[in-house]
Amino acid sequence: MRDLPIILLGIGGVGRCLLRQIMAQRAFHALNYEVSLAVLAVADRDGAVIEPDDGLSDDLLAELCAFKEAGGRLADHALGGPQGDLTGIVDIAGRAGTIVVDCTASTATVPALLYALDQQYKVVLANKKPLTLDQEVYDRLTTAGATGRNGQAPVRHLGRARWEATVGAGLPVIATLNRLMASGDEIERIAGAFSGTLGYVMSGLQAGEAFSAVVRAAHRLGYTEPDPRDDLGGVDVARKALILARGLGRRLDLEDVTVEGLYPASMAPLTVDEFMAALPDLDANFAARVADAAAQGGVLRYAAVIDAAGCRVGPVVVPANSPLGLLQGTDNLVSFSTRWYTPTPLVIQGRGAGGDATAAGVLSDIMELAFTA
Ligand SMILES: NC(=O)c1ccc[n+]([C@@H]2O[C@H](COP(=O)([O-])OP(=O)(O)OC[C@H]3O[C@@H](n4cnc5c(N)ncnc54)[C@H](OP(=O)(O)O)[C@@H]3O)[C@@H](O)[C@H]2O)c1
């Protein structure tokens, strides 16, 4: 049985689902892969619990999940302590073969991730932010360990990092992109719906609901962030589009992604309550856009499109009978139009959010790296 050491940064919704899946799949991974995942350290924003030798026991991991679910801080846990230095945690807890897993939503993990790769460890990301900072950080994260001619990492070679869960949660979007690239296929266009929240809003508009009503319902149902503008602004989708575009080899920054949000800049300074109250001002415009789309035989979808013209995110009119046009509700969808996948694109569709689906994508990445040098 081979030991597979894990350091987990972030023990929120996804991190806890991951720990529970690791525990639930122990016998499966032992029997089929002959590996045993040992969680050496778990960190939240200002605390950590570390057991570099034997790893944290399953009883303790289950207790930590319950403790975090109840709102606890690892800094206050009997076996935990404060931390202000994730790199130090990787340094203390890491050993040969360690996989550092980023389930935070923070850029503060970047030094620890780069340090881990410098130590020849491996990295798995559910967190989009490290991959959407400077191109240089993206390059270092995604190609570390891939040595090519003159010691330069070849752009296309996968190194010691995986980041499947950053786009479409557990859906195999990044793996598919990398496989298409590896075959030398020419990807002409990627179009996708990567926000369950915005999918819900667009489906509601298509069904004839007023924009204000559908946004308020999404807010009430917990589909949106506490401030719905965090979803409606489109920046989270833009980060996913940037990760895909960079995966194609485009050298772009977040500022290069054209983003059209679903509310005007004049509504940005409002409080959340004022914003919710002002939503009906947008109803007539959206109703007209939906009617215009229908008159063209299309429907309105919030999509990310990457093609020869660039990388953009916003509402687009798509044919009603296209994969994107047929998409309903909160599902995610990505379609790859390539030299070989034409006229029918390669389409991946399914649940694109949720702790367990996301954690399953992370766990698959961990298992893939377990067998990668
Ligand atoms: N949920 C989904 O459906 C989904 C789908 C795809 C991708 N993702 C991505 O997965 C990541 C995790 O999502 P989530 O839903 O689990 O978020 P979450 O519930 O907000 O959990 C985030 C965790 O990260 C910790 N954290 C924040 N800043 C930190 C720092 N500087 N150092 C160490 N830990 C830090 C938080 O600590 P505290 O507990 O102390 O606050 C918390 O434990 C995010 O990047 C998200 O975008 C989520």
Side-chain angles (χ1 to χ4, degrees), residues 10-14 44-45 68 86 103-106 108 126-128 165 354 358:
I11 177 170
V14 173
D44 65 9
R45 73 181 61 232
K68 284 299 297 179
L86 295 174
C103 287
T104 75
S106 169
N127 178 11
K128 292 174 280 294
T358 308

Side-chain angles (χ1 to χ4, degrees), residues 29-51:
H29 286 139
L31 184 66
N32 294 284
Y33 295 87
E34 296 184 348
V35 295
S36 170
L37 282 74
V39 182
L40 306 181
V42 174
D44 65 9
R45 73 181 61 232
D46 56 7
V49 183
I50 304 178
E51 177 46 71

